[in-house]
Amino acid sequence: TSSVHLVSSPVNDAASTAEKQLIRLMLDEPGLIPQIQPRLLPEDFQHPHRWELIRLLLDTYNKGEKDLPTALAPLLSEQAYIELSGIMVTESKVDDPLRMADDCLRFLRLSRLKDLYEKHRLQAIEFERIGDSRSLQELAESQRIKDEISKLYQ
């Protein structure tokens, strides 16, 4: 699966923080993994090494490993290992880990959908400007994405 990696912006910095927080939650509270795992989508993650880390974290958890960080370390690429090291040294105190995980997942999904919506909206404008009938397809896709965004707010 390919993913789009965007230039850093405040939203992307926030998405980066959400990705790291989600990984930390799964490491600190492995009991959350069964509830989080079905909702994880590679396209929601902007940083490929963090997705690698999550994928291997899930595999390691599903194999029954108890000490996830120790079991993960030898499996990771150098960049993913650097990510793991950075995540593990940050302080993490969360009162409601499940709610925090839900918030992180929702934020990551919203961030991706908003970027996708903007891409299709601008493409529709460009197609309309040059008289290309594909503008209707882009508008329909923009509306579909907007509807998906609305569902996340319900």
Side-chain angles (χ1 to χ4, degrees), residues 9-153:
S9 71
V11 170
N12 292 334
D13 289 344
S16 179
T17 300
E19 290 175 1
K20 291 175 185 179
Q21 182 65 51
L22 191 59
I23 292 167
R24 182 61 188 255
L25 285 166
M26 290 191 294
L27 290 168
D28 290 347
E29 304 282 342
L32 293 175
I33 292 175
Q35 297 168 49
I36 295 171
Q37 187 170 2
R39 297 172 47 206
L40 293 169
L41 299 174
E43 59 268 20
D44 286 344
F45 290 80
Q46 296 177 5
H47 197 287
H49 300 298
R50 287 190 206 119
W51 179 251
E52 173 192 350
L53 183 51
I54 285 177
R55 187 177 47 76
L56 290 170
L57 173 62
L58 296 174
D59 289 347
T60 303
Y61 173 83
N62 290 331
K63 289 178 184 170
E65 294 287 343
K66 299 296 181 213
D67 185 359
L68 292 173
T70 302
L72 269 176
L75 304 173
L76 300 172
S77 68
E78 183 178 349
Q79 287 299 319
Y81 183 80
I82 291 168
E83 284 292 325
L84 175 63
S85 298
I87 290 166
M88 293 307 296
V89 298
T90 57
E91 190 171 322
S92 177
K93 183 176 182 342
V94 177
D95 292 330
D96 187 346
L98 182 57
R99 181 172 178 186
M100 176 63 82
D102 287 341
D103 290 346
C104 288
L105 287 165
R106 186 177 303 105
F107 182 84
L108 292 172
R109 181 95 11 96
L110 279 170
S111 180
R112 176 181 60 86
L113 289 172
K114 286 178 179 179
D115 288 343
L116 199 56
Y117 171 78
E118 188 64 12
K119 175 186 151 200
H120 285 284
R121 186 186 71 78
L122 292 174
Q123 189 66 58
I125 291 169
E126 181 60 22
F127 282 147
E128 186 174 2
R129 187 184 67 73
I130 62 174
D132 190 322
S133 64
R134 289 181 290 178
S135 65
L136 296 175
Q137 291 170 317
E138 292 297 326
L139 285 173
E141 183 62 10
S142 295
Q143 187 59 51
R144 185 195 65 75
I145 294 166
K146 199 171 184 179
D147 292 344
E148 201 173 329
I149 290 170
S150 294
K151 289 177 188 173
L152 287 173
Y153 282 111

